[in-house]
């Protein structure tokens, strides 16, 4: 399936690329609900993997893990899924993880190590400041480029 991005999505990718090329390592994509943040991220992930980069996409709900996995499939990007009840293939360049499952497996139980990642995409990034679970996982990637995505990047509860 060929997905045609809208101009504002292409502009967002250009802006993020320009910031990364200028040395930014912590990026934030703010876009309204329904604007296609996952589509934008999938295109960025497709480009990253075409350059041999490893990617971790973090989400906090089962349906968001499924949504991202499905969108990556539309971009012909195979991914592993780290989620309770799902088989995980750690050899994939891209892993889509439930934050709760990855934290449980890698931090609490130490059942697995964190998957390698050059780029970590954080869905609903506004959760980071108010959640030790998110901080534990994201902080395990100090060398990775981070791309946070949110419609509401300021979490007033945090």
């Amino acid at each position: 399936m060929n997905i045609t991005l809208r101009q504002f999505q292409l502009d967002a990718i250009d802006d993020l690329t320009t910031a990364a090329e200028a040395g930014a390592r912590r990026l934030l994509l703010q876009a309204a609900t329904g604007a296609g943040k996952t589509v934008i991220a999938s295109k960025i992930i497709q480009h990253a993997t075409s350059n041999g980069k490893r990617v971790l996409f973090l989400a906090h709900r089962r349906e968001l893990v499924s949504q991202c996995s499905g969108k990556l499939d539309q971009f012909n990007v195979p991914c592993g899924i780290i989620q309770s009840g799902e088989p995980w293939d750690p050899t994939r360049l891209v892993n889509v993880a439930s934050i709760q499952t990855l934290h449980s497996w890698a931090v609490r139980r130490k059942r697995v190590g964190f998957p390698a990642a050059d780029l970590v995409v954080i869905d609903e990034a506004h959760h980071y400041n108010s959640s030790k679970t998110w901080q534990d996982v994201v902080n395990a990637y100090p060398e990775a480029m981070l791309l946070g995505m949110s419609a509401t990047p300021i979490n007033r509860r945090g």
Side-chain angles (χ1 to χ4, degrees):
M1 172 181 229
N2 190 11
I3 296 180
T4 303
L5 276 68
R6 296 180 177 157
Q7 189 58 51
F8 74 89
Q9 293 169 322
L10 295 169
D11 292 343
I13 292 169
D14 287 345
D15 290 347
L16 291 166
T17 301
T18 299
E21 288 172 346
R25 307 278 303 150
R26 307 295 184 253
L27 304 167
L28 177 67
L29 169 62
Q30 179 184 5
T33 301
K37 291 181 289 293
T38 305
V39 170
I40 293 168
S42 295
K43 186 65 176 174
I44 291 169
I45 292 168
Q46 180 188 50
H47 179 74
T49 58
S50 73
N51 290 314
K53 301 297 184 188
R54 300 184 68 86
V55 181
L56 176 64
F57 185 102
L58 299 169
H60 75 291
R61 293 197 335 246
R62 182 173 286 274
E63 56 269 19
L64 296 175
V65 170
S66 295
Q67 174 188 341
C68 180
S69 173
K71 199 58 66 184
L72 287 168
D73 189 49
Q74 291 178 336
F75 279 87
N76 297 312
V77 176
C79 65
I81 297 183
I82 302 171
Q83 182 171 265
S84 179
E86 295 286 336
W88 175 39
D89 179 357
T91 65
R92 300 286 187 170
L93 280 178
V94 178
N95 286 288
V96 179
S98 155
I99 188 77
Q100 296 88 350
T101 300
L102 183 55
H103 186 269
S104 175
W105 290 1
V107 177
R108 286 198 329 257
R109 293 192 232 161
K110 301 194 185 327
R111 183 177 131 193
V112 300
F114 286 101
D118 302 297
L119 169 64
V120 176
V121 180
I122 308 161
D123 196 21
E124 305 292 346
H126 55 274
H127 289 293
Y128 174 82
N129 283 331
S130 61
S131 169
K132 183 169 177 355
T133 299
W134 281 92
Q135 291 170 15
D136 287 346
V137 172
V138 173
N139 292 345
Y141 294 92
E143 300 302 316
M145 179 167 289
L146 301 181
L147 171 58
M149 303 188 310
S150 179
T152 55
I154 298 173
N155 184 344
R156 297 197 186 273
R157 293 179 296 174

